[in-house]
Amino acid sequence: MDQSFDIIIVGAGPAGATAAYQLGQAGVRVLLLDKAAEFPREKPCGGGLSARLLHRFPYVQEFLSAGEVPVNPVSRVHLQSPDGTRVTYRQAEPILYLIRRWEFDAALFRRAESVCTVRKGVTIRRCLVKPDHVELESTTGELFTAPMVIGADSANSVIARHTGLRSEAAHKEYAVDMMEETTYDRLDVADRESIYLFLTLTETFGYGYIFPKTQHLNLGFGCKLDWYLKALRGKGAEHHAGWVDTLKRQGDVTGETNPAGYKAFPIPVSGPLAKTYTDRVLLAGDAGGFVNAFTAEGIFYAMASGSLAADAALAAIRKQRYDERELSGYQRAWQAEIGSDLQHSVEIQHRLFNGSGRIDALVRKAKQDSELLRLIIGYSMGAARYEELRNHMMRSTVPTWVWSKVKAAVGLAVSAH
Ligand SMILES: Cc1cc2nc3c(=O)[nH]c(=O)nc-3n(C[C@H](O)[C@H](O)[C@H](O)COP(=O)(O)OP(=O)(O)OC[C@H]3O[C@@H](n4cnc5c(N)ncnc54)[C@H](O)[C@@H]3O)c2cc1C
């Protein structure tokens, strides 16, 4: 290519497309690369959008409302603990908006494409940061250069590994999610107006879900990568079929699994990387580890980190300064917006998913305590703050007289239980 660009963005998923759209609209010359030969393209995902995503990115609300992306808004959740205790939560407004990534990512891509240069079918295999530019090489040997790069190339990010920002150790902290998305004529669910969440422990971590879309049923099961490699390597499809059978026996789904639709994909579930920037490079989305370690929600964080990376890149491009010091503002920006949220998600994962029976106890308690249930679901869907959930749990597990003494001692501004 003989055109010159201010920035190259590798990966046109939610993180990369969001950054590209924002920078292109600001007049920056962006080259957006993706290994997919065409959009729409497949991306294994549950496709659950939290309501906060629609508030943060109003144009998403617009394309959902306009029918550009079919959506099933659900306002009911069936939550099941490892011991089989089940509780149902409902509210007036939608809790989660269920879309298919096939359609959603294509809509984001179209917006990015309208304001920047796009190359599809380009797989980057090498990234070299030089004193005055970044050089990327594709699997066909084509070279791309620009003053800076945003790596939005997902969980196995080449940009993160080649810049030393992701190490092998960080890679071990992944989960593997095994899923299918099958039309209702083949696989159906008892209640298409709810999502089903199963906190189903394997060894240290595990969850299952059923997400009904407008025309498809999406269901999956996630576990930590180390357990997957130990217990499921080469047997993922078999395990998935067994999981569908379990759901059929419980009466949640009917019909048949579609083995051809089975897919497994890694998710980083240990929080953001310690450092998400270096000279001339920023990481966004899964490439930087921006996934909720408790719920595995990643689309909101991918778009938020993509947007914040675009802000930092715009400032750097305007000043023509691409050093680490200049780009460190990105890390401060995401820490301010989503840092504590992601940090808490890691703490909750470690606390709950450790085989101690805490999940069973929590779900049993939530069955009796509607406010606790509201906060668990609200926190999981990004609608309630961690502090609200924690304070409520403290209040409901500590006798009232102890709580009033604690309150008096530390002066906490919370109302009496
Ligand atoms: C099975 C499963 C279920 C999930 N369910 C949910 C859910 O319900 N809700 C939710 O919020 N999150 C969910 N997640 C997480 C969510 O899918 C991710 O966090 C999100 O897709 C991250 O967006 P991204 O833009 O960083 O990466 P991606 O969406 O993976 O996009 C990365 C892009 O980079 C391209 N690419 C990769 N490598 C290269 C390369 N070397 N060269 C060029 N291009 C490259 C890819 O083709 C792709 O288009 C789920 C994840 C999985 C695996």
Side-chain angles (χ1 to χ4, degrees):
M1 288 189 95
D2 49 11
Q3 257 176 296
S4 58
F5 296 98
D6 299 312
I7 188 165
I8 300 176
I9 299 176
V10 183
T18 301
Y21 183 47
Q22 201 169 308
L23 285 167
Q25 279 192 315
V28 171
R29 292 169 305 165
V30 181
L31 173 61
L32 176 64
L33 302 176
D34 201 286
K35 67 180 178 184
E38 274 314 324
F39 272 75
R41 56 97 177 87
E42 286 287 353
K43 161 68 181 109
C45 185
L49 306 180
S50 54
R52 65 182 156 177
L53 186 151
L54 275 54
H55 294 302
R56 174 76 160 85
F57 300 98
Y59 57 87
V60 170
Q61 174 73 71
E62 280 164 29
F63 64 65
L64 295 184
S65 307
E68 184 182 344
V69 175
V71 58
N72 182 20
V74 294
S75 42
R76 206 160 48 209
V77 180
H78 303 296
L79 177 69
Q80 186 172 312
S81 66
D83 70 1
T85 305
R86 188 176 280 202
V87 54
T88 297
Y89 172 78
R90 49 181 69 76
Q91 64 180 37
E93 64 278 12
I95 294 169
L96 208 61
Y97 296 80
L98 301 176
I99 49 82
R100 293 183 73 216
R101 292 292 297 271
W102 176 264
E103 291 143 348
F104 181 73
D105 287 23
L108 294 179
F109 182 79
R110 278 194 290 277
R111 274 156 187 77
E113 197 177 25
S114 68
V115 290
C116 67
T117 304
V118 163
R119 281 280 309 274
K120 292 175 268 186
V122 175
T123 304
I124 296 304
R125 72 165 171 211
R126 197 173 57 83
C127 170
L128 202 59
V129 180
K130 299 204 166 176
D132 58 353
H133 66 276
V134 185
E135 185 180 278
L136 302 173
E137 188 189 288
S138 76
T139 45
T140 59
E142 196 174 355
L143 295 180
F144 301 89
T145 60
M148 75 172 291
V149 163
I150 294 178
D153 49 342
S154 204
N156 290 321
S157 170
V158 170
I159 311 300
R161 283 185 283 116
H162 287 210
T163 51
L165 291 171
R166 181 176 283 283
S167 67
E168 269 313 303
H171 209 129
K172 292 201 180 83
E173 296 293 316
Y174 280 20
V176 178
D177 194 311
M178 296 154 275
M179 58 146 300
E180 72 175 287
E181 194 164 73
T182 300
T183 47
Y184 285 127
D185 54 2
R186 182 167 181 139
L187 194 61
D188 208 339
V189 65
D191 178 4
R192 286 196 200 171
E193 281 163 26
S194 297
I195 56 168
Y196 295 66
L197 299 175
F198 304 90
L199 299 168
T200 305
L201 277 186
T202 51
E203 204 159 80
T204 52
F205 174 91
Y207 60 83
Y209 56 91
I210 308 176
F211 285 1
K213 310 291 172 72
T214 54
Q215 307 291 331
H216 297 74
L217 189 64
N218 178 305
L219 57 84
F221 188 94
C223 62
K224 274 275 181 75
L225 175 65
D226 52 5
W227 191 78
Y228 176 86
L229 294 175
K230 197 162 72 181
L232 293 184
R233 195 201 286 264
K235 293 185 283 193
E238 224 175 279
H239 181 271
H240 175 77
W243 170 239
V244 176
D245 281 342
T246 305
L247 298 175
K248 279 162 73 172
R249 276 196 303 277
Q250 290 193 172
D252 295 327
V253 303
T254 50
E256 296 306 321
T257 178
N258 174 16
Y262 165 79
K263 290 180 193 74
F265 202 80
I267 315 181
V269 287
S270 52
L273 297 176
K275 194 158 166 251
T276 52
Y277 64 95
T278 185
D279 287 341
R280 300 185 178 278
V281 175
L282 299 173
L283 299 178
D286 283 9
F290 294 101
V291 174
N292 187 299
F294 171 48
T295 61
E297 177 185 6
I299 305 170
F300 166 73
Y301 300 102
M303 292 183 68
S305 59
S307 169
L308 297 170
D311 289 342
L314 184 60
I317 290 164
R318 286 197 172 137
K319 288 190 220 159
Q320 304 273 296
R321 275 197 50 198
Y322 305 100
D323 55 287
E324 275 212 338
R325 203 157 160 216
E326 170 65 31
L327 297 179
S328 63
Y330 168 55
Q331 184 113 356
R332 287 192 294 280
W334 70 250
Q335 278 169 343
E337 184 179 340
I338 51 178
S340 65
D341 187 14
L342 291 171
Q343 168 78 32
H344 291 142
S345 75
V346 176
E347 286 162 21
I348 293 180
Q349 184 208 98
H350 292 169
R351 206 174 267 259
L352 286 184
F353 289 97
N354 61 7
S356 62
R358 283 189 178 136
I359 299 178
D360 293 323
L362 191 66
V363 175
R364 274 200 303 271
K365 194 156 183 45
K367 222 176 158 153
Q368 317 297 332
D369 178 347
S370 59
E371 179 61 1
L372 177 62
L373 180 60
R374 184 188 73 78
L375 289 169
I376 293 171
I377 301 295
Y379 174 73
S380 306
M381 303 295 152
R385 287 183 306 111
Y386 169 74
E387 288 74 14
E388 289 177 83
L389 173 61
R390 190 198 52 198
N391 288 344
H392 183 82
M393 280 166 68
M394 276 180 69
R395 281 204 302 278
S396 56
T397 49
V398 174
T400 313
W401 67 270
V402 177
W403 179 243
S404 62
K405 293 243 178 306
V406 172
K407 246 179 52 178
V410 295
L412 283 180
V414 288
S415 58
H417 186 51

